[in-house]
Each structure stands twice: as C-alpha cells, then as structure tokens.
Amino acid sequence: MSYTQIKFSSQNKPDFIIELRKKVKDYFETNKLSKYGNPGIVAKSVLMTLVYFTPYVLMVAGVIQTLPMILLSFIMMGLGMAGLGMVLMHDSNHGTFSKNPRINRFLSNSLYFLGGFPPTWQYQHNTLHHGYTNIHGHDGDINPAGILRFSPHNPLKKIHKYQHLYAWFLYGLMTISWITTKDFKQYFSYKKSGAVLSGTKSNTQMILELVISKVLYYAIFLVIPLIVLPIAWYWILLFFFIMHFATGLMLSSIFQTAHVMPTSQYPLPDEDGNIENNWAVHQLLTTSNYAPESRIFSWLIGGLNYQVEHHLFPNISHVHYRNIAHIVKGTALEHGLPYYVQPSFLHAVKSHASMLKSLGR
C-alpha cells in the first residue's frame, strides 16, 4: 500500500479539531502572541550549540588534553547534540522556529552537524510519522530493526521476549545508525516509493550531497580528533561511540515514550486504506504526554514531553505547548476523547518498558 492511499474518516468527532483550533487561535490572538518561537528559544539554541561545540573546540585547540577530560568532553558533546536536535533542529524542521521560512530552512540544516541528512529525516518525521502515527507499514518509527517489536502487527520472534531488557542498548545506537547506513537506506527506499525529497535537486545532486555531508561529518568530528588529540586512536573511537550512544539513548527514550505505550492504539486501515477515526482523534489515541509539571525538564528537551500538543499543532513552536495544554486537554475531555499523560518521565519510561515486555510476549 502506498502512503497516499491512507484516508482518515471525517465522521468521528469532526467538531473536536474545529473547536480546538478556534480556541487555540483565540488564545494567541487574545494574548497577542506569535505561534512561532520567541527570544527564549534563541537563547536556548545558543546554549545547546555551545554545549555541543565548545568541548570540541577546546579539545582541538589543545586546551583539554587529559584522558578523563577528553572523555567528559565527548559526553558533553553527546548531551549538546541531543539538545541541539530537540530544540533548534526539530522546531526549524517544522517551520516554527521563526516566522521567516528561509531562516527555518537554514536552521533545519543543523541536522548535518549531528550526522543526519535533512531531506530523509524530514520525510520520515514530518510526512510519515506525523501523518500516519502508529500505522503499521507507514510510520517508520514503529518499524525498527527486526529484533525490536514496537507494533502488535509486526511478526513476533522469540528474541522479542527479552526486548524490554536489550532495547535500551539499541536505543543508544540510534545516531550511529544515522551516520552510517540509515540515511542511505531511507533515501533509496523513499525514492523507490515515489516520494519527492526535493523539488529543485536532481537524484544525482541529492546522492552527491548525501555522500559529501557524511564525509565532512566524519572529517570534522572523527578524523580531526584522531589527528590532533594526544591520546591513542582507540580511545578516540571509543569516546566518539560514547558520545553518540548518549545522544541516541536520550533521543530514543524521549520519542518512544510518546507512542509505544500501554495506552497507544495501532489502528489498521481497511482494504481500501480507510482509517475509522479522523486525523485529530487518531493523534489522541496514539500519543501520550509525560512530566507536565517538570518545567526544567521540558525546557531542556524542547517541549517534547507535550507530544499530544505537538502532534495536533506541529505548526506551533514548542515554547507554547505548556500554555495551550490545558486547552487541548479540556477540549478533548469535553468531546469524550482521551488525553493520555504520565506524571513523570520515569513513569513514562516504566510504562514504555512494560509495553515492550507486552509486545514481546
């Protein structure tokens, strides 16, 4: 089935999203606010950029030279990499960092500094994940490597019985996959399915850009440290791995606890590609929030604990999610619809682990 064949019903609770959008629009107009980012997101992006690049510069410049400090620097870079992705790259990718589309397009290219390839990630995330959340065969986020089972519609293997134990190690390999094979596999898979990844560049240009971006990433973040840092090459390779492991574990844990949960539904389309719910109701049934009272945590992860709001309003910057959450929750409950939320990130992780265990058996 091609992605364009999925059709959401317009019959189930059609007034919900109409009323909700009006209330949210009124909130912005009443408070004279822009739906885009504010000075706070700029300051936060600068901070995350510094956390990512400052340790690198200090190491390459010879300021940091001891083995323990170099290890600490790579770990800090891993945290900064995750923060940069969640705060700057994610919002700009959705066109919400700035009201200027050119600025958003430019800043979305920050993914290159994380080892990823913007065109494939944007298609996977914006089109497939947001468009077809938790739909088997369409949302790539619930269709990982065969030794992980995120959907009850995926084949069950004996090894899945233990996935609630080993999944966390594989989560740490998320960005390792980005910088090696995943972008290439996705690019050719998406092109084969007929996806348009660029409206201006040819296939040859796209492939060349993909290859060059990987070469430059390795040259900057691996080859240069191998040449200039005063420690053995095997330590640098290990620390480079640790950096990506920290990033991957953080990003995977934050994203998977929003959709692979005991409350999550995994609706299947009928033979004609129809889904029984409309798109907005579908988002409520497949998405969960967590830690709504943790302001510092929410600030650090770019508001991604408000996944319900993000999926219903991907065109609004994350800096506003906390303030519109009560509107979304109240409207959902008024229409007899669920609004799933875990009280803390720890609760969300535990529930996710429980779901992994359930899916494995």
Side-chain angles (χ1 to χ4, degrees), residues 56-348:
Y56 174 82
V57 172
L58 293 176
M59 287 190 294
V60 172
V63 178
I64 294 176
Q65 293 188 315
T66 64
L67 189 69
M69 289 303 296
I70 292 175
L71 170 59
L72 180 61
S73 295
F74 272 101
I75 293 174
M76 287 297 295
M77 287 178 66
L79 299 178
M81 186 192 303
L84 193 62
M86 292 184 289
V87 175
L88 174 64
M89 187 278 290
H90 188 246
D91 264 50
S92 56
N93 167 73
H94 281 287
T96 62
F97 186 94
S98 167
K99 64 176 62 176
N100 189 325
R102 292 184 178 180
I103 293 177
N104 288 319
R105 285 195 296 270
F106 175 76
L107 294 178
S108 67
N109 290 327
S110 59
L111 182 59
Y112 285 121
F113 289 105
L114 313 184
F117 187 56
T120 54
W121 193 85
Q122 288 166 0
Y123 187 74
Q124 174 201 328
H125 185 74
N126 292 18
T127 302
L128 303 185
H129 174 62
H130 274 270
Y132 312 107
T133 312
N134 278 20
I135 298 179
H136 176 70
H138 295 75
D139 182 0
D141 285 13
I142 60 165
N143 187 35
I147 56 174
L148 286 174
R149 187 173 189 250
F150 288 164
S151 166
H153 308 303
N154 286 335
L156 178 63
K157 300 178 182 179
K158 290 183 179 180
I159 194 173
H160 291 148
K161 183 178 180 180
Y162 307 101
Q163 70 171 359
H164 61 291
L165 301 176
Y166 63 73
W168 311 99
F169 173 76
L170 296 179
Y171 287 174
L173 303 181
M174 173 184 168
T175 56
I176 293 289
S177 174
W178 273 5
I179 66 174
T180 52
T181 61
K182 185 175 180 178
D183 282 326
F184 291 96
K185 290 180 179 178
Q186 285 188 328
Y187 179 81
F188 291 109
S189 174
Y190 294 159
K191 291 298 289 185
K192 186 177 180 180
S193 72
V196 178
L197 301 181
S198 174
T200 59
K201 299 175 183 177
S202 68
N203 185 53
T204 301
Q205 288 175 314
M206 292 287 285
I207 294 174
L208 186 61
E209 183 178 307
L210 173 56
V211 172
I212 291 175
S213 70
K214 298 299 181 185
V215 171
L216 289 176
Y217 176 80
Y218 280 109
I220 295 170
F221 292 99
L222 185 58
V223 176
I224 290 178
L226 283 169
I227 293 173
V228 304
L229 295 189
I231 59 175
W233 61 269
Y234 47 82
W235 287 118
I236 296 173
L237 290 180
L238 175 61
F239 295 168
F240 181 79
F241 174 83
I242 290 173
M243 174 185 73
H244 273 282
F245 191 87
T247 303
L249 181 60
M250 184 181 301
L251 292 177
S252 295
S253 299
I254 286 169
F255 278 104
Q256 295 303 339
T257 46
H259 301 290
V260 184
M261 300 288 280
T263 56
S264 299
Q265 293 191 19
Y266 298 84
L268 288 174
D270 62 22
E271 59 184 12
D272 295 320
N274 297 305
I275 296 289
E276 64 177 341
N277 294 306
N278 68 51
W279 177 83
V281 172
H282 176 84
Q283 298 304 322
L284 290 174
L285 297 175
T286 57
T287 310
S288 176
N289 286 355
Y290 51 83
E293 301 302 320
S294 301
R295 292 197 177 202
I296 295 177
F297 177 70
S298 180
W299 188 89
L300 289 170
I301 67 169
L304 291 174
N305 55 319
Y306 290 102
Q307 283 284 322
V308 173
E309 286 69 29
H310 175 54
H311 271 255
L312 289 172
F313 296 99
N315 62 332
I316 294 177
S317 174
H318 78 266
V319 298
H320 304 293
Y321 290 156
R322 178 181 178 84
N323 293 328
I324 67 171
H326 70 281
I327 301 175
V328 176
K329 180 179 180 178
T331 308
L333 297 181
E334 286 172 8
H335 286 262
L337 294 169
Y339 182 89
Y340 299 123
V341 58
Q342 296 287 326
S344 70
F345 181 57
L346 181 58
H347 277 86

